[in-house]
Amino acid sequence: MSITKIAAESTEDSQKEVLNVFQSTQSVIKEALKKMNYSDEIYELLKEPLRMLTVRIPVKMDDSSVKVFTGYRSQHNDSVGPTKGGVRFHPLVSEEEVKALSIWMTLKCGIANLPYGGGKGGIICDPQKMSFGELERLSRGYVRAISQIVGPTKDIPAPDVYTNSQIMAWMMDEYSHIREFDSPGFITGKPLILGGSYGRETATAQGVIICIKEALKKKEIRLRDARVVIQGFGNAGSFLAKFLHEEGAKVIGISDAFGGITDTNGLDIPYLLERRDSFGNITGLFEKTITNQELLEMKCDILVPAAVSNQITVENARRIQAPIIVEAANGPTTIEATKILTKRGILLVPDILASAGGVTVSYFEWVQNNQGYYWTEAEVLEKLQTVMVNSFDNVFRVALQHKVDMRFAAYMVGIKCVAEASTFRGWV
Ligand code: NAD
């Protein structure tokens, strides 16, 4: 029997939709803990981050005015090891979202068996409207504001939406100045010359394509015959499109924040990669575009949301035509939509598994920084392959064993690690 059929029998189709990613995460944690017979105390520990810092960052703008930005750093749980997670620059960053993202990082690290807990950061800003100099001052100001609670053995940031290796370089430089010693292990996703790792820039996409291959095996579809739609053409989406194109799959739809472009014969990926801007925008080059909603509902073999949260909801879940969804983005599908998709026999590989390639190679980067000894790209990719395939197999097995969908199984795997570590430490 297929995993999705089994899961459909065990889930209920609910019409009540929770778009607040923090609340919906808490509810799945509660359910997963109950299924594994853990005590209510563990839920009390895991339902909120252990630490959440809100900071206000004054930045001198290019016109000499001062703008004060709000930023966050959430550290969900450090029982397994130091917390780890990206920093997002986006106008819609919120405290609740950052908290949820840090919980997902705890689960992701558990699934990939990394010695970390989950952290996350964000600043409410619109980087597309800021100059290079303003972004540098904001990045440095953020590090000064959170410096007390972060560090190579405490909490290690990384890139996320609208942040990149240049921003990581500024942050690392600022931290090293504050501590008065070179601290490459403070942050990952750095440029190679500053202690970055081979393979980090492409790691999330590499991890996603490994999951795609594993999911295709379950549905007996060959990658070369697959038609893929990708929402988002930033770090995750654009490298994924490149790798799929190189492996002979057809990428028939791609979008950015402003809309999507399609070609049923396969889009010209090398051309799009050459023309995309540093924020992953591409549709401005085309006259004929579709909406992001239309893109998500396209007929294809694999749909990869690789942009923002809450894209597949009860509103559109019944109209999704892809038999496989692999989530590169964090939180693109609501819990209620997951139930609908599962009932419809769609195989959904959840974010906390599919996008774990990024944090896995961030871990490799941190290990190399701590050792001061650097690996080849081939070594990094081989190690990543092992982690991703083992993680996929483990989650798939747990899903079959407990007759649940892969998202729920991924929560169970991730929660088990943090619950066990917290118990051994005597916290609960
Ligand atoms: P990015 O900033 O490089 O790119 C974001 C892309 O999403 C851009 O193409 C942008 O135009 C598009 N976008 C923004 N808002 C949109 C909207 N409302 N509708 C449709 N498209 C929109 O970001 P990224 O690093 O590629 O991250 C994308 C997703 O993957 C995020 O959810 C992120 O948390 C997740 N993720 C990233 C990494 C990583 O290492 N970069 C790791 C794990 C998970």
Side-chain angles (χ1 to χ4, degrees), residues 130-319:
M130 294 170 72
S131 72
F132 217 58
E134 289 167 345
L135 283 172
E136 178 176 353
R137 292 190 289 279
L138 178 63
S139 304
R140 289 182 185 279
Y142 178 68
V143 171
R144 286 195 297 277
I146 64 167
S147 67
Q148 298 277 323
I149 65 161
V150 290
T153 54
K154 280 187 186 172
D155 180 15
I156 306 122
D160 194 71
V161 175
Y162 294 157
T163 54
N164 56 22
S165 58
Q166 174 61 77
I167 290 175
M168 299 305 108
W170 290 325
M171 290 188 175
M172 191 274 273
D173 184 64
E174 191 64 28
Y175 185 82
S176 297
H177 277 294
I178 295 168
R179 292 281 172 260
E180 296 183 335
F181 52 78
D182 192 39
S183 311
F186 154 64
I187 205 161
T188 58
K190 302 179 292 294
L192 277 180
I193 191 72
L194 294 180
S197 173
Y198 283 109
R200 174 59 187 93
E201 201 183 9
T202 56
T204 304
Q206 291 280 11
V208 174
I209 199 167
I210 293 167
C211 287
I212 287 178
K213 287 178 184 169
E214 295 303 306
L216 284 171
K217 281 186 209 160
K218 308 290 177 201
K219 290 273 184 184
E220 294 176 354
I221 302 171
R222 290 191 323 173
L223 184 60
R224 291 190 68 80
D225 299 329
R227 294 156 308 149
V228 190
V229 167
I230 305 173
Q231 184 193 35
F233 203 53
N235 172 279
S238 69
F239 282 116
L240 178 64
K242 179 174 184 281
F243 298 146
L244 288 167
H245 177 76
E246 285 167 358
E247 297 229 21
K250 265 192 197 137
V251 181
I252 60 167
I254 272 177
S255 72
D256 61 23
F258 307 98
I261 47 173
T262 64
D263 185 343
T264 47
N265 294 318
L267 290 160
D268 183 349
I269 302 302
Y271 171 78
L272 296 176
L273 289 169
E274 205 181 292
R275 299 300 303 273
R276 74 184 268 275
D277 73 12
S278 63
F279 291 101
N281 294 321
I282 195 69
T283 53
L285 297 169
F286 298 85
E287 271 179 20
K288 195 167 172 286
T289 57
I290 59 169
T291 64
N292 264 287
Q293 277 310 313
E294 287 167 334
L295 179 109
L296 294 170
E297 294 169 20
M298 278 176 66
K299 197 167 166 44
C300 61
D301 299 302
I302 304 158
L303 172 63
V304 184
V308 284
S309 58
N310 287 336
Q311 296 302 294
I312 304 175
T313 65
V314 293
E315 290 299 317
N316 60 0
R318 287 182 187 81
R319 294 195 297 273

Side-chain angles (χ1 to χ4, degrees), residues 96-107:
E96 298 258 289
E97 187 193 48
V98 173
K99 286 203 284 190
L101 285 160
S102 70
I103 298 180
W104 296 339
M105 286 306 297
T106 297
L107 303 178

Side-chain angles (χ1 to χ4, degrees), residues 41-76:
E41 288 163 357
I42 304 248
Y43 176 68
E44 282 305 308
L45 178 69
L46 299 183
K47 72 176 187 185
E48 288 270 348
L50 290 178
R51 233 165 275 114
M52 175 72 188
L53 182 64
T54 302
V55 294
R56 304 260 292 144
I57 313 151
V59 174
K60 181 80 71 71
M61 306 304 277
D62 289 347
D63 64 3
S64 294
S65 66
V66 171
K67 206 166 163 191
V68 183
F69 294 87
T70 300
Y72 304 100
R73 187 72 197 170
S74 170
Q75 298 174 341
H76 173 243

Side-chain angles (χ1 to χ4, degrees), residues 77-81 415-428:
N77 188 293
D78 53 8
S79 61
V80 173
I415 286 172
K416 193 163 181 289
C417 293
V418 61
E420 210 172 288
S422 302
T423 307
F424 269 124
R425 280 180 186 268
W427 292 0
V428 276

